[in-house]
Amino acid sequence: MSEPILPPATIGIVGGGQLGRMLAQAAKAMGYTVGVLDPTPQCPAGQVADFQLQADYTDQAALTALAKRADVLTYEFENVDLTALAKVSQNAALPQGTELLAITRDRIREKTFLREHGIPTADFAAVPDEAALAAAIHEVGVPAILKTTTGGYDGHGQQDINGESDLPAARRLLAKGPCILEARVAFDRELSLMVTRDGNDAVRCFPVVENHHQHHILHTTIAPAPHLRKPARYQIDALAAKIAKALALRGVLGIELFEGKDGVLVNELAPRPHNSGHYSIEACNFSQFQAHILSICGLPLPPIRLQEPAVMRNLLWAELAQAERAWPRHPEWHVHDYGKAEARAGRKMGHLTVLAGDTADMLQAVQLEDENGKD
């Protein structure tokens, strides 16, 4: 193990959204200095960091300036310029490296990596252009989902293919760039977990959680996943450890899964804190954000424990203001406001978490009042 990076060292975060904000808050509580690179004035992470460099993520001069002021660099989203990031790693430690990003930001590379390491996934085929679409459909079958290889999130950049009538939309998606065709999986529920390797290379898995989505955006997370049998939990932990070791992981990694009658499949990887791990702030002995900071700084972590059951609910668009108005009547709520200046449809503005109840009671507790038929 190399020498750990200790406070008051400076951590530079590329990206200033809510994940960067919560990373900064975790690092500041430990005594680190935090700098953020983001083009938005007073971005969510910039509001709580020691300094913000206001520039585009691809601005080589700004990235270099951040690296020169930092002892260690990290990122809060996948679409970072890999070449620019590699160039500045000579100025500051980059424990996560760039290969992790290169694999997880490209769906074909990600699925191929998983397959090569014996991790179960849905069937898939590369679709580099429209000419390859028919062969991919023949190989994978229908129903299937066509997805852009990079850049898609929350349901963006994808098209269901159920038959001939979907082909025009599929061709329009392919006109934007290379895609991957994935078989549509019959599953009972969606699961996920966070995993990390600490400074001593010990793999630490967070609890497996159950996720519910609305309009392709995560709505609620239940921790732990109800009725998850021990063999399935052990299998998922083993898959997570295998992935973490194969990636020589530093920082935290989100692993999204499908559970069906034939077991579990890995759907996607996220090389950063993940929306479905927010519950850990209140519910675990270490949050996913603390774990990320400790891992990139080369410090140890004990086994992660869920101290109390929890439900986390995303607050989109106007829901944050609605929740804050109702907050005085809900002492059980842990409310997180991300400090975003503009609320718009589908945008994550905050989240709330409820602890230590029956799952049905906690799910009811995170409902906003108009959803319960009240004012």
Side-chain angles (χ1 to χ4, degrees):
M1 171 176 131
S2 58
E3 286 298 310
I5 298 168
L6 300 172
T10 298
I11 298 172
I13 303 174
V14 181
Q18 66 265 24
L19 299 179
R21 180 188 182 95
M22 289 180 274
L23 282 171
Q25 288 169 326
K28 290 293 295 174
M30 297 178 199
Y32 289 98
T33 304
V34 178
V36 174
L37 173 65
D38 194 279
T40 305
Q42 277 293 291
C43 64
Q47 295 167 24
V48 300
D50 294 281
F51 65 89
Q52 177 184 345
L53 301 182
Q54 189 181 329
D56 192 78
Y57 308 121
T58 60
D59 187 325
Q60 187 70 59
L63 274 168
T64 301
L66 178 66
K68 286 183 175 179
R69 295 181 66 175
D71 297 285
V72 59
L73 291 174
T74 188
Y75 42 79
E76 65 132 25
F77 67 108
E78 287 91 325
N79 296 317
V80 183
D81 187 311
L82 294 182
T83 302
L85 197 59
K87 284 181 180 178
V88 302
S89 63
Q90 61 189 324
N91 301 113
L94 184 64
Q96 295 158 278
T98 57
E99 184 65 10
L100 173 64
L101 272 177
I103 291 170
T104 56
R105 70 190 290 176
D106 184 298
R107 287 190 170 101
I108 294 172
R109 285 199 63 176
E110 181 178 272
K111 285 287 195 300
T112 301
F113 163 84
L114 291 169
R115 177 176 285 180
E116 288 175 345
H117 287 86
I119 306 297
T121 71
D123 291 337
F124 67 94
V127 192
D129 51 38
E130 184 180 333
L133 181 59
I137 292 174
H138 179 75
E139 178 182 348
V140 173
V142 292
I145 309 172
L146 187 70
K147 301 178 181 179
T148 54
T149 56
T150 61
Y153 67 97
D154 288 347
H156 298 287
Q158 63 184 58
Q159 171 62 44
D160 289 342
I161 298 182
N162 298 301
E164 291 280 341
S165 62
D166 296 316
L167 294 183
R171 295 187 185 102
R172 288 193 294 272
L173 187 61
L174 278 162
K176 298 177 181 179
C179 291
I180 182 173
L181 188 70
E182 299 178 4
R184 180 175 285 283
V185 176
F187 59 88
D188 298 324
R189 57 178 174 172
E190 296 182 64
L191 305 174
S192 66
L193 79 161
M194 306 304 300
V195 63
T196 189
R197 284 197 323 155
D198 72 2
N200 295 323
D201 294 337
V203 174
R204 302 303 189 197
C205 292
F206 282 76
V208 181
V209 300
E210 179 179 316
N211 299 316
H212 298 169
H213 293 77
Q214 290 185 2
H215 309 296
H216 300 287
I217 300 173
L218 181 65
H219 183 265
T220 48
T221 292
I222 304 169
H227 313 300
L228 184 67
R229 296 182 181 275
K230 283 185 178 180
R233 190 177 79 239
Y234 294 153
Q235 179 195 5
I236 292 168
D237 283 353
L239 291 175
K242 191 173 186 179
I243 292 168
K245 291 174 183 176
L247 290 169
L249 181 65
R250 283 291 179 266
V252 295
L253 178 79
I255 303 177
E256 298 178 34
L257 310 112
F258 297 133
E259 183 187 37
K261 62 179 179 7
D262 297 323
V264 295
L265 299 177
V266 173
N267 180 34
E268 288 187 351
L269 306 178
R272 50 166 174 76
H274 191 265
N275 201 180
S276 67
H278 291 346
Y279 74 92
S280 63
I281 297 172
E282 285 85 21
C284 293
N285 56 330
F286 284 83
S287 75
Q288 64 168 338
F289 302 100
Q290 293 170 316
H292 185 95
I293 297 300
L294 292 169
S295 176
I296 64 170
C297 290
L299 289 162
L301 262 169
I304 302 299
R305 299 193 315 275
L306 183 71
Q307 299 184 129
E308 293 185 287
V311 167
M312 186 282 302
R313 183 243 171 89
N314 264 329
L315 298 170
L316 308 181
W317 197 12
E319 291 175 342
L320 174 63
Q322 185 181 349
E324 288 179 336
R325 287 194 299 271
W327 194 359
R329 296 184 292 280
H330 292 277
E332 74 279 13
W333 284 1
H334 296 265
V335 178
H336 295 257
D337 185 329
Y338 299 154
K340 294 184 178 180
E342 180 187 0
R344 55 178 182 265
R347 193 179 200 196
K348 299 180 183 80
M349 301 299 295
H351 73 268
L352 64 87
T353 303
V354 172
L355 301 176
D358 174 84
T359 297
D361 291 341
M362 289 190 292
L363 285 168
Q364 181 64 30
V366 299
Q367 297 297 299
L368 301 183
E369 292 188 355
D370 68 338
E371 296 168 335
N372 292 321
K374 300 178 183 178
D375 293 338

